[in-house]
Amino acid sequence: MCGIAGVFFHEARPDTADIIARMCAAIRHRGPDDAGQFVVESAGVGMRRLSIIDLANGQQPMFSPDKRYVIVYNGELYNYPEIQARLIAEGQTFATRSDTEVVLKAFLRYGEECLNLFNGMYAFAIYDQRRREFFLARDRLGVKPLYYSTLAGRGFAFASELKALLTVPGFDRAVDETALNQFFVFEYIPQPRSIYQAARKVPAAAWLRFSPADGVTTRVYWEIDIHAAEIRDPLEAEDHIRDLMRSAVRYRLVSDVPVGLFLSGGMDSSIIAAVMRDAMAPAKPLSFSIAFAQKSYDESPYAQLMADYLGLEHESSILSEDNIVSMIPEIYSGLDEPLADASVIPTFLVSQQARRFLKVALSGDGGDELFLGYDTYRAHQYRSFFQWMPPAVCQAVGNMLNVFPPSDKNLSWEFKAKKFFNAVKQPADIANVLWWGAYSYAGLGELFVSGARNFEEVFEPVLRLRDKLKGADVLKQISYLDVHLYLRDNLLPKVDRTSMANSLEVRNPFLDYRLAEYAFRLPSSWKLRRGIGKYILRRAYQHALPKQILARRKKGFDIPLTPWLRGRLRPLLRENLSRTVLEQNGRFNRGKIQTLIDEHCAGKRNHRQLLWPLLTYHLWQKKFG
């Protein structure tokens, strides 16, 4: 695991080596074990390394035998031994056991088609010194990040994180206003946009080529087939799911350093724990969880139950209102793009906890999106029953729910009911965004002094996928949207930034592309049955997990922000959303925000989901705006 960076300038610059050094210094946390860079004329690449595989010989940048090509690589290619064996059979030789060398030589042999062979999480760049071209690529599910900029026509730059691009001379920090509007609706910024006009994300499952003559070209090399023929035998499906998960976990245990596990006590991490324990026997995996004093948020008893059931060594840390105040500045000073998912905080803490013992941990991300675990999938089933209601009636019902006192509980019934009725009359894809997100389109118009940008711009990440979804059942459509938006652009960046801030590599067995493809061949009725999500997973692992785990409903990895924003976080909220701060920014409706703060702090309304994006945006602006 590494952080990578590179530049190309159309005009010669004597300071190119210094620029690469500054870019790499900005992402040192991604790889504290080693560093390297290569500069030729007006181009250069650099990296920071977290040593996981072939600790002695995996240094980068790495060169082709003729020195024409140079690679910097971030991630893990899980099936590199098979690809290496194939290349050896075709006459290639290898000097290391590193997957970096396999990626480079596979590219030399097969060109961009090599990506079709790869099973892993990765982002890499290869520079062709003869043609003066860069080739960049990201893994299929988008686990590893990669940003780029054309530097206002002056050249090309890329990096694992935006903060490295900010060190490039002349990088324009002007905010992308459409991306900002999308942030306040989605709570994250969907690819390919970034918070800056001058930077974009390399899309997941895509490659990018830059040449001085032709500029930037991108191509998608893999897509989930939402219309693939469905499996007909549920028992066969259960067997195949177990086989795929066993293979995915074994792949992700390949390491020259110890591997642990994030264990929440939910279905997904418990399945991984069970498979991992069997694969590592007689060794005992080390697992980690977060505890809360508030019972509606606390999953730690289930994590401990699962650890005891499997005989794991388990560590748990408590996240309280007292220690969150000191943690927030540390966490958000490292987030170089606004992200309003409050589970950033416990994810940072569990990563910090794990890093005291090891460098690699497995996580259960992806299971809910692939196997319909979220409450929103049930909401889409119920939605059809309310289509006969006039929109005004649905809105009135939503408004009537405001008479109930706001609850501090995690995903309380009145919170979910209000969200449901406020979006139930929208098309399914838009309703899904509004159920997940913060501001409605109307609310967005009230938030900004200038009003909202047009509807098509704000919801473009959803609208562009509509043609691909036609003909699929609604639950499969929403699952596809969640994989391509919520997972790729919220959950995975959250886990990457918080884990790498602690120099920890996190691997995700559910995001093995073979399992993702297979999941979309399963009928939705096998995943969500009689209101029970992940039904086929429960069936497949009914003999491997305790009944208490199998019977649990999805809880979600959230924190008690509602009471904390009225308590220890209240001064932080008022300081960062003060009249002076808002006047200096100039974008926001001060009166609207003051009303939100006053109502929330007085306990009249629960505005946690509207206030937290505002607070996190202004924390970002302080450091990176």
Side-chain angles (χ1 to χ4, degrees), residues 145-167:
L146 194 56
Y147 293 85
Y148 72 95
S149 174
T150 55
L151 304 175
R154 294 181 292 109
F156 179 74
F158 68 87
S160 296
E161 297 183 22
L162 281 170
K163 58 176 66 71
L165 292 181
L166 298 181
T167 69

Side-chain angles (χ1 to χ4, degrees), residues 277 282-285 287 304-314:
R277 190 276 313 269
K284 293 183 178 181
S287 59
Q304 188 64 59
L305 182 153
M306 193 65 208
D308 292 343
Y309 182 82
L310 295 175
L312 310 182
E313 298 182 23
H314 188 66

Side-chain angles (χ1 to χ4, degrees), residues 29 80 205 380 407 462 467 541 581 606-607 617 619-620 622:
H29 52 278
Y80 81 92
H380 280 285
S407 172
V462 173
D467 286 343
Y541 288 95
V581 169
N606 180 0
H607 291 311
Y617 167 74
L619 290 171
W620 167 84
K622 269 185 177 180

Side-chain angles (χ1 to χ4, degrees), residues 571-612:
L572 185 71
L573 183 68
R574 291 200 177 275
E575 173 192 343
N576 285 277
L577 299 180
S578 68
R579 182 181 182 88
T580 301
V581 169
L582 295 174
E583 284 179 348
Q584 289 174 346
N585 183 284
R587 289 186 175 92
F588 300 101
N589 183 333
R590 299 191 304 273
K592 173 68 175 178
I593 294 173
Q594 189 60 55
T595 298
L596 294 175
I597 294 172
D598 291 344
E599 289 182 348
H600 185 89
C601 291
K604 295 178 180 178
R605 299 282 295 275
N606 180 0
H607 291 311
R608 161 250 188 266
Q609 201 167 19
L610 302 181
L611 290 172
W612 190 247

Side-chain angles (χ1 to χ4, degrees), residues 153-395:
R154 294 181 292 109
F156 179 74
F158 68 87
S160 296
E161 297 183 22
L162 281 170
K163 58 176 66 71
L165 292 181
L166 298 181
T167 69
V168 178
F171 181 87
D172 187 352
R173 296 194 182 202
V175 167
D176 182 327
E177 298 295 337
T178 297
L180 185 62
N181 276 251
Q182 290 174 348
F183 166 71
F184 281 103
V185 171
F186 290 82
E187 297 190 345
Y188 53 88
I189 296 173
Q191 62 181 19
R193 292 185 185 273
S194 84
I195 188 61
Y196 300 110
Q197 293 179 20
R200 288 291 181 264
K201 301 171 180 115
V202 177
W207 57 259
L208 177 152
R209 181 173 280 112
F210 168 80
S211 71
D214 300 325
V216 170
T217 302
T218 60
R219 294 285 186 276
V220 172
Y221 65 84
W222 176 82
E223 290 184 302
I224 291 173
D225 185 359
I226 193 173
H227 302 293
E230 292 188 339
I231 305 300
R232 297 300 180 189
D233 184 344
L235 294 179
E236 171 196 324
E238 291 173 21
D239 285 341
H240 199 54
I241 287 169
R242 287 191 293 266
D243 289 343
L244 288 171
M245 181 57 70
R246 191 178 302 112
S247 174
V249 169
R250 288 184 179 276
Y251 265 152
R252 285 155 181 80
L253 291 177
V254 175
S255 172
D256 291 336
V257 297
V259 180
L261 167 72
F262 292 169
L263 181 60
S264 69
M267 273 281 297
D268 304 332
S269 63
S270 296
I271 288 171
I272 293 170
V275 178
M276 185 178 181
R277 190 276 313 269
D278 291 345
M280 292 179 62
K284 293 183 178 181
L286 185 57
S287 59
F288 306 89
S289 67
I290 298 297
F292 296 95
Q294 293 87 343
K295 288 186 178 180
S296 69
Y297 292 84
D298 187 29
E299 294 187 279
S300 62
Y302 293 99
Q304 188 64 59
L305 182 153
M306 193 65 208
D308 292 343
Y309 182 82
L310 295 175
L312 310 182
E313 298 182 23
H314 188 66
E315 297 281 337
S316 182
S317 295
I318 297 176
L319 179 57
S320 70
E321 189 175 3
D322 292 331
N323 60 22
I324 193 176
V325 176
S326 61
M327 290 179 62
I328 284 179
E330 177 185 5
I331 295 170
Y332 283 89
S333 66
L335 290 179
D336 49 20
E337 185 164 77
L339 184 63
D341 187 336
S343 64
V344 160
I345 296 168
T347 307
F348 182 93
L349 183 60
V350 75
S351 298
Q352 188 178 66
Q353 176 193 35
R355 187 60 178 90
R356 291 190 287 115
F357 297 90
L358 39 77
K359 287 184 177 182
V360 182
L362 305 192
S363 172
D365 296 299
D368 289 302
E369 292 80 4
L370 295 174
F371 292 94
L372 308 188
Y374 295 127
D375 285 344
T376 47
Y377 299 117
R378 285 188 288 277
H380 280 285
Q381 284 191 321
Y382 305 148
R383 175 179 165 273
S384 61
F385 300 126
F386 292 89
Q387 293 311 297
W388 60 269
M389 275 190 179
V393 174
C394 289
Q395 189 64 50

Side-chain angles (χ1 to χ4, degrees), residues 111-130:
E112 66 227 24
E113 296 300 318
C114 70
L115 299 169
N116 297 320
L117 302 176
F118 293 172
N119 186 348
M121 57 175 191
Y122 50 81
F124 65 86
I126 295 173
Y127 183 61
D128 181 341
Q129 296 192 62
R130 184 182 304 168

